[in-house]
């Protein structure tokens, strides 16, 4: 089976070699991997490196990351389509687990777990795939997206049916599309990490501008898929929060450590 991995880039050469090598390492046991790089005008050697490593490269301006992913996905030829950041990596055996779940269940999309890593590749905890009984109504009550795009694979026909990502969403296009997908059919769940999400401090989620824009986009998604009852929203928010905390103890510890560091930064400096 051919699996296409789509990576949007703009001056992403720093980690790109590791990203491409991780996808190539997953091409085994009957899995062919096509890695498509969609570049928006890099000047740091990203395109040259990608070509030298055998990736398919598409170049040209786009209307944001989700437009770039659409371009790469519709141009790709794999039966399954996945999305991987230039600074992220696939876990060894991750695609085997995805393909096995896809074949076993007949589901048209598959969601796995992720591990967080830092710039040097050191582990920072992880997040297991969310339960496949979750509905879009529950998902939007949570207020953030636990369906990690770098661990999500969608069949070509389902992606076409969905029309890909809505690039009008600059930060939450994955959240919005996964809610639409979930409204049509549940995903197959992979009970192991599929990819590593690198937290470098430069991720969009760390930017105040992106955070503010994401809040507005989340509200738009909630208006379409969420409940009208504030009581129901509160119930599912805390029910799912409890579920994720209980199922992901290392993630819970990591959150508490981050919170502790943030509080220390906010404390006034002592004068001696």
């Amino acid at each position: 089976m051919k699996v296409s991995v789509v990576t949007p880039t703009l001056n992403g050469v720093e980690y790109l070699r590791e990203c491409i090598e991780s996808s190539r390492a997953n091409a085994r046991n009957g899995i062919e991997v096509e890695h498509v790089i969609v570049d928006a005008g890099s000047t740091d050697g990203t395109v040259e490196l990608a070509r030298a490593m055998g990736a398919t490269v598409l170049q040209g301006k786009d209307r944001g990351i989700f437009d770039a992913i659409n371009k790469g996905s519709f141009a790709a030829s794999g039966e399954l389509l996945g999305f991987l950041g230039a600074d992220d990596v696939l876990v060894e055996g991750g695609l085997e687990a995805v393909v096995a779940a896809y074949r076993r269940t007949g589901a048209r999309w598959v969601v796995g777990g992720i591990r967080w890593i830092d710039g040097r590749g050191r582990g920072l905890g992880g997040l297991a795939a969310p339960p496949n009984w979750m509905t879009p109504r529950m998902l939007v009550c949570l207020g953030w997206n636990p369906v990690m795009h770098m661990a999500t694979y969608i069949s070509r026909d389902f992606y076409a049916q969905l029309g890909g990502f809505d690039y009008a969403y600059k930060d939450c296009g994955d959240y919005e599309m996964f809610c639409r997908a979930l409204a049509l059919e549940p995903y197959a769940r992979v009970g192991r990490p599929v990819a590593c999400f690198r937290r470098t401090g430069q991720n969009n989620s760390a930017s105040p501008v992106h955070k503010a824009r994401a809040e507005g986009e989340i509200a738009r998604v909630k208006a379409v898929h969420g409940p009208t009852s504030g009581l129901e929203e509160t119930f599912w928010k805390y029910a799912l929060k409890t579920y994720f905390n209980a199922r992901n103890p290392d993630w819970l510890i990591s959150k508490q450590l981050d919170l502790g560091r943030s509080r220390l930064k906010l404390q006034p400096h002592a004068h001696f």
Side-chain angles (χ1 to χ4, degrees):
M1 175 186 292
K2 180 185 283 189
V3 179
S4 296
V5 177
V6 178
T7 298
T9 58
L10 179 61
N11 295 327
V13 75
E14 183 176 5
Y15 298 110
L16 186 60
R17 179 179 297 276
E18 188 178 354
C19 174
I20 296 175
E21 286 177 344
S22 74
S23 69
R24 289 167 59 178
N26 272 268
R28 61 186 193 184
N29 295 331
I31 297 174
E32 178 185 353
V33 178
E34 173 189 49
H35 204 143
V36 181
I37 306 297
V38 187
D39 191 79
S42 293
T43 58
D44 64 347
T46 290
V47 170
E48 292 78 6
L49 175 62
R51 285 180 173 152
M53 297 188 69
T56 299
V57 178
L58 304 178
Q59 292 178 275
K61 295 296 183 180
D62 55 59
R63 289 163 288 190
I65 187 172
F66 296 109
D67 183 34
I69 293 174
N70 280 345
K71 288 180 178 179
S73 297
F74 286 120
S77 57
E79 183 176 344
L80 279 175
L81 304 172
F83 328 107
L84 194 65
D87 52 0
D88 301 329
V89 294
L90 285 171
V91 174
E92 184 177 354
L95 290 188
E96 286 183 78
V98 167
V99 169
Y102 174 68
R103 287 172 168 164
R104 182 182 69 254
T105 64
R108 293 196 292 167
W109 63 312
V110 180
V111 177
I114 59 106
R115 300 293 300 175
W116 280 295
I117 57 176
D118 66 10
R120 298 181 181 180
R122 296 175 298 192
L124 299 173
L127 182 67
N132 56 6
W133 42 258
M134 187 174 63
T135 66
R137 192 182 187 94
M138 298 176 194
L139 176 56
V140 296
C141 291
L142 190 59
W144 59 278
N145 185 19
V147 182
M148 294 293 171
H149 69 267
M150 69 288 298
T152 300
Y153 285 78
I154 303 177
S155 71
R156 168 174 298 283
D157 69 306
F158 195 33
Y159 193 90
Q161 180 181 345
L162 292 166
F165 293 96
D166 182 348
Y167 57 78
Y169 289 83
K170 301 301 182 183
D171 290 278
C172 298
D174 51 350
Y175 195 25
E176 189 275 337
M177 189 175 85
F178 295 160
C179 280
R180 283 190 283 121
L182 200 53
L184 294 176
E185 59 184 77
Y187 49 78
R189 182 181 185 275
V190 174
R192 56 155 287 175
V194 168
C196 293
F197 179 13
R198 196 183 303 269
R199 294 170 63 178
T200 62
Q202 303 301 314
N203 308 88
N204 279 357
S205 58
S207 162
V209 173
H210 288 289
K211 284 182 178 179
R213 188 166 61 194
E215 288 179 2
E217 292 183 356
I218 289 171
R220 288 164 57 191
V221 176
K222 187 180 293 184
V224 174
H225 297 282
T228 56
S229 165
L231 184 62
E232 182 182 351
E233 180 178 343
T234 300
F235 172 79
W236 284 120
K237 177 179 179 179
Y238 286 99
L240 286 171
K241 183 177 180 179
T242 300
Y243 175 93
F244 284 115
N245 285 339
R247 293 297 184 97
N248 299 279
D250 58 346
W251 175 62
L252 177 59
I253 292 169
S254 179
K255 284 197 302 178
Q256 295 303 317
L257 290 174
D258 285 346
L259 180 60
R261 284 190 287 265
S262 297
R263 286 174 175 170
L264 285 173
K265 289 179 181 178
L266 292 173
Q267 288 179 357
H269 293 291
H271 296 281
F272 297 96

